[in-house]
Amino acid sequence: MHYLTNLWNTLDFGTLRDAAVQLLAVLFCLTVHETCHGLAALALGDPTAKRQHRLSLNPLRHIDWFGLLMMLVAGFGWARPVPVNPNYFKKPQQGMALTALAGPASNLLLALLLLIPARLIYTYAHYSVFNQTALDFLTSTAALSIGLGLFNLIPIPPLDGSKVLAVLLPERAYRWLMRYERFGIFALWLLVALGVGGRYMSLAIRWVYTLFCRIVGF
């Protein structure tokens, strides 16, 4: 019992709270991102995600556990990709581009919406542990959602930006890009490991976050 008491006293509950807030934020942003891919595909005629029960806000349906761990530890991770069958689309390239764009767009919209209650709490709510935790969650999730949205717009496979870019390519170049899509992850790992472009990404996230704060009157 004495050992358990000492262990309890050494726990940093501020750090545990921050870790819990970060985990919830990651799960929320990834879930919205993947669900909106599926919704966009369904709207364009592809029922694949719906049939596989991926049109859900249950994060367990979207989590890739290793990808989640890497996001928490290294700041670069992934969820289980939503299955999309472009054969259902009237125009496959355009359909894939719109489906891909739905993920980053949903993250940017989510960030803007989260900052509205954050602004109300900051302006009108009295200080309490609960209110501060809620404010931390809303602002950190907004920043994370912006980062996830902007990162996915990078035109390197398998990120969404590559599929958006592909709509501008000739069909032959598009097929080549899709064929070697799986190798793009290694290029991303290398860029992240070397910190290439990290400064510009941070500046972009800060700029969008500041813009959204001004929009909501923060």
Side-chain angles (χ1 to χ4, degrees):
M1 180 64 71
H2 180 66
Y3 170 77
L4 292 177
T5 302
N6 289 338
L7 179 61
W8 180 267
N9 290 334
T10 60
L11 290 176
D12 185 346
F13 285 98
T15 302
L16 290 177
R17 188 198 70 176
D18 293 343
V21 168
Q22 183 182 18
L23 177 60
L24 288 174
V26 169
L27 290 175
F28 188 36
C29 292
L30 289 178
T31 299
V32 169
H33 183 100
E34 296 302 328
T35 300
C36 286
H37 278 317
L39 289 172
L42 181 64
L44 292 170
D46 177 17
T48 307
K50 182 179 180 180
R51 289 172 179 170
Q52 297 189 20
H53 307 290
R54 296 296 302 277
L55 303 185
S56 170
L57 292 178
N58 179 358
L60 295 178
R61 296 193 181 276
H62 305 287
I63 289 176
D64 180 301
W65 293 104
F66 183 69
L68 176 63
L69 176 63
M70 292 307 299
M71 178 168 283
L72 293 173
V73 173
F76 168 60
W78 54 89
R80 288 172 54 211
V82 165
V84 177
N85 186 348
N87 292 325
Y88 283 103
F89 301 147
K90 293 180 179 180
K91 297 181 178 180
Q93 286 183 244
Q94 290 85 342
M96 287 297 295
L98 290 173
T99 300
L101 188 60
S106 70
N107 285 127
L108 295 176
L109 179 59
L110 174 63
L112 184 60
L113 294 176
L114 288 172
L115 287 173
I116 296 174
R119 187 253 183 186
L120 295 176
I121 293 173
Y122 181 81
T123 305
Y124 299 109
H126 296 292
Y127 175 81
S128 69
V129 174
F130 176 81
N131 288 339
Q132 185 62 49
T133 301
L135 181 61
D136 291 344
F137 174 75
L138 291 168
T139 54
S140 63
T141 305
L144 177 65
S145 195
I146 291 170
L148 182 62
L150 294 181
F151 182 77
N152 271 280
L153 286 174
I154 296 174
I156 299 177
L159 297 181
D160 298 324
S162 65
K163 297 179 179 65
V164 176
L165 175 65
V167 76
L168 304 175
L169 299 176
E171 185 174 351
R172 184 177 179 181
Y174 172 78
R175 293 185 181 278
W176 181 89
L177 182 65
M178 292 299 101
R179 181 181 305 168
Y180 295 101
E181 178 183 23
R182 61 186 180 277
F183 298 112
I185 190 68
F186 298 109
L188 287 173
W189 274 106
L190 183 62
L191 292 175
V192 171
L194 297 176
V196 176
R199 177 173 176 270
Y200 298 105
M201 180 60 65
S202 296
L203 289 174
I205 294 171
R206 188 177 308 165
W207 185 86
V208 174
Y209 185 86
T210 301
L211 174 64
F212 285 0
C213 284
R214 290 177 178 174
I215 290 175
V216 302
F218 220 139

